[in-house]
Amino acid sequence: MKQYPSSGYSRQAETRLKILEKYSGPTQELFFQYQTLQNQSATLTLVEYIAGLEKLLKGFPEIPEKAQVLHSLGLALERNQELPEAMKTLRHVAAKYPDTGWGYLRQLRIGQIYFKQGDFSGAIREFKRLAQTKGP
């Protein structure tokens, strides 16, 4: 990890190492359930995937990757045509994690949802807001 401190794999390994060192038992198990859920997302129905993410958030409210889990949930809700709930979830990510990559991705997705719904003024507003912010 020291040789390539900026690599994505290095950051992921460091995050997982911190979790392993900090948590044990059920909390650690829930984290690995999330990883398993992500790996199986292609084979699950959207309803199963959404239920798994919601269960994870309830059972592990302080997951270190909570912004990522919420972003995944928002995208899954969008794909399942649950647009009001998707918008609510994605807005929560932006409010709670505004200066993270997940916050910026959230803003992009909300703009895309507005565009998809034909609300072009809403899409323009979100895209302008995103264009005026500095990246993470």
Side-chain angles (χ1 to χ4, degrees), residues 78 83-84 86-88 90-91 106-127 129:
E78 178 189 356
L83 298 181
M87 294 283 267
K88 178 181 170 187
L90 293 169
R91 287 193 187 287
R106 174 279 332 158
Q107 208 159 349
L108 179 63
R109 288 307 309 163
I110 288 177
Q112 291 171 330
I113 291 171
Y114 279 132
F115 186 83
K116 201 187 299 187
Q117 292 177 322
D119 182 352
F120 301 120
S121 62
I124 289 169
R125 183 180 59 249
E126 291 299 322
F127 293 143
R129 190 178 304 155

Side-chain angles (χ1 to χ4, degrees), residues 33-50 53 72 76 79:
Q33 284 178 12
Y34 170 66
Q35 294 301 313
T36 302
L37 187 62
Q38 289 297 94
N39 292 336
Q40 294 175 344
S41 63
T43 61
L44 298 173
T45 67
L46 277 174
V47 173
E48 291 169 330
Y49 183 61
I50 291 167
L53 290 172
S72 296
R79 287 192 313 264

Side-chain angles (χ1 to χ4, degrees), residues 62-76:
E62 298 306 316
I63 186 171
E65 296 174 344
K66 189 170 185 175
Q68 181 179 353
V69 175
L70 286 166
H71 182 78
S72 296
L73 178 59
L75 294 180

